[in-house]
């Protein structure tokens, strides 16, 4: 079958995106399509597969997301911004309650983070601290800066569902080998945590956080939106950041702006960048992808985001809460960002499955 798609990214988290509002695939077909299209070494590649889905009385549209191993995620905030951008343009709106797998996320078009960087604001949550629903069977209802020796680590973790499960540890420096080891231990579906979890190591910096994540179903990733949201909330919960204050959240893929409310809602503002649009042939039975046709490129968007992502955090601050001063967001854009060339209109370009 031939599918039209957009290759896009949110904060460096890249995906093929399909308009699936009129598509009716069985779950096993979706799983096969995700594995084929999101194969990092394949013809398209990505951290997962995104689908813009149909709406209902309360939601103009929805989204689904599959990890590169074919497992379906509860939420992907980096991907949601891309889905929301497409939904806005298809529906002729600038805000929506987006129906997700296990929650609803409020999304709206936001002022550009920098010239030419199309930006979407998303409000997710509330963050949930009750781990019995994951389930994570540790004999406790909540885990806030507590040990998880079953992961083979001496770190202290905070467990937060956004609604997908996250384990956040604040560290003085990120050891990627250690993060991979802990992340892999969380992927083995042990009896005490059968649905696995995302694991993030977070360093504190003037103005915000740097987040590195081992993502469930993906592995070590340059960016994970829900992990950044969970990290912002964990920073506020543990006194490392202030509620209702916007901070910068850096990652290897770039950055977003984030803030958390005491009730658990987390707001992220970040890019939704198109790389190219086109179509591919795919055989779900074999996973073969062929005849990739690029019909439109959006190089100016990529350059604009690259200029923004070139900003880096300052020196890390000690991970203990008492050592952290009041944070203020640095919202200045690099002077080297190119001028905006305007938003691309999807009028006349059909990216529905066909």
């Amino acid at each position: 079958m031939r599918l039209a798609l957009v290759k896009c990214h949110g904060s460096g988290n890249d995906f093929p995106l399909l308009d699936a509002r009129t598509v009716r695939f069985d779950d096993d077909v979706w799983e096969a399509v995700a594995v084929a299209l999101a194969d990092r070494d394949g013809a398209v590649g990505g951290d997962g597969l995104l689908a813009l889905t149909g709406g209902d009385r309360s939601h103009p549209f929805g989204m689904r997301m599959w990890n590169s191993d074919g497992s379906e995620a509860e939420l992907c905030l980096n991907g949601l911004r891309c889905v929301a951008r497409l939904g806005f343009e298809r529906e002729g709106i600038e805000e929506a309650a987006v129906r997700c797998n296990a929650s609803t996320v409020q999304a709206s078009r936001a002022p550009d983070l920098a010239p030419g960087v199309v930006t979407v604001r998303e409000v997710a949550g509330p963050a949930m601290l009750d781990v019995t629903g994951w389930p994570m069977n540790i004999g406790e209802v909540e885990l806030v800066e507590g040990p998880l020796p079953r992961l083979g680590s001496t770190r202290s973790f905070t467990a937060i569902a956004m609604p997908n499960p996250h384990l956040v540890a604040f560290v003085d420096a990120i050891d990627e080998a250690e993060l991979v080891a802990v992340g892999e231990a969380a992927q083995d579906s042990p009896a005490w945590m059968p649905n696995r979890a995302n694991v993030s190591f977070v360093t504190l910096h003037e103005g915000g956080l740097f987040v590195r994540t081992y993502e469930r179903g993906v592995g070590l990733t340059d960016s994970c939106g829900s992990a950044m949201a969970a990290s912002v909330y964990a920073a506020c919960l543990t006194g490392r950041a202030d509620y209702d204050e916007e901070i910068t959240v850096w990652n290897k893929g770039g950055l977003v702006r984030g803030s958390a409310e005491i009730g658990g809602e987390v707001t992220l503002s970040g890019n939704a960048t198109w790389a190219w649009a086109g179509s591919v042939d795919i055989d779900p039975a074999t996973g073969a992808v062929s005849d990739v046709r690029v019909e439109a490129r959006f190089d100016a968007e990529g350059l604009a985001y690259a200029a923004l992502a070139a900003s880096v955090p300052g020196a890390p601050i000690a991970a203990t809460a008492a050592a952290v001063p009041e944070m203020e967001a640095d919202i200045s854009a690099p002077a080297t960002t190119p001028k905006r060339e305007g938003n691309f209109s999807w009028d006349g370009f059909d990216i529905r499955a066909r």
Side-chain angles (χ1 to χ4, degrees), residues 1-89:
M1 61 183 173
R2 188 151 196 89
L3 296 174
L5 61 87
V6 179
K7 186 65 186 296
C8 57
H9 81 85
S11 199
N13 218 180
D14 68 322
F15 310 93
L17 165 60
L18 307 178
D19 183 343
R21 290 175 297 170
T22 61
V23 175
R24 300 292 182 269
F25 288 161
D26 291 337
D27 285 345
D28 60 338
V29 175
W30 275 120
E31 179 179 343
V33 171
V35 170
L37 289 181
D39 178 359
R40 179 54 70 191
D41 298 321
V44 177
D47 289 325
L49 173 68
L50 300 175
L52 171 68
T53 60
D56 55 28
R57 290 183 178 180
S58 302
H59 309 85
F61 54 84
M63 75 164 283
R64 295 179 71 181
M65 184 271 180
W66 294 263
N67 297 309
S68 55
D69 67 355
S71 60
E72 187 168 3
E74 293 92 339
L75 183 63
C76 172
L77 290 175
N78 285 332
L80 185 138
R81 297 197 303 274
C82 297
V83 172
R85 174 182 173 180
L86 181 57
F88 294 160
E89 294 178 357

Side-chain angles (χ1 to χ4, degrees), residues 261-343:
E261 297 180 3
I262 196 167
E265 290 192 329
V266 180
T267 299
L268 296 182
S269 296
N271 72 300
T273 300
W274 296 160
W276 55 269
S279 60
V280 300
D281 275 325
I282 182 169
D283 182 351
T286 64
V289 177
S290 60
D291 192 20
V292 178
R293 300 177 189 175
V294 177
E295 301 170 20
R297 299 193 64 89
F298 311 103
D299 295 335
E301 291 194 22
L303 291 171
Y305 182 76
L308 174 67
S311 65
V312 295
I317 300 169
T320 54
V324 181
E326 183 176 353
M327 296 182 177
E328 295 182 359
D330 174 12
I331 59 173
S332 59
T336 56
T337 50
K339 294 182 178 180
R340 186 184 182 99
E341 295 188 3
N343 292 335

Side-chain angles (χ1 to χ4, degrees), residues 173-182 201 210 212 214 220 252:
I174 295 172
D175 182 329
E176 289 193 355
E178 179 190 1
L179 175 58
V180 169
V182 176
F201 283 179
F210 184 92
R212 195 80 168 105
Y214 192 98
L220 196 63
K252 288 197 73 172

Side-chain angles (χ1 to χ4, degrees), residues 117-198:
V117 178
V118 177
T119 301
V120 173
R121 180 179 293 113
E122 53 199 347
V123 182
M128 301 298 293
L129 299 178
D130 186 341
V131 301
T132 60
W134 291 23
M136 186 165 74
N137 302 311
I138 56 173
E140 302 287 345
V141 174
E142 297 180 358
L143 180 71
V144 179
E145 300 222 285
L148 275 178
R150 294 173 180 176
L151 292 178
S153 174
T154 59
R155 299 285 186 186
S156 294
F157 293 91
T158 296
I160 297 172
M162 285 301 307
N164 46 343
H166 290 271
L167 297 171
V168 177
F170 291 94
V171 300
D172 291 324
I174 295 172
D175 182 329
E176 289 193 355
E178 179 190 1
L179 175 58
V180 169
V182 176
E184 288 179 347
Q187 307 311 305
D188 289 338
S189 300
W192 62 277
M193 193 171 64
N195 291 322
R196 307 178 294 168
N198 304 281

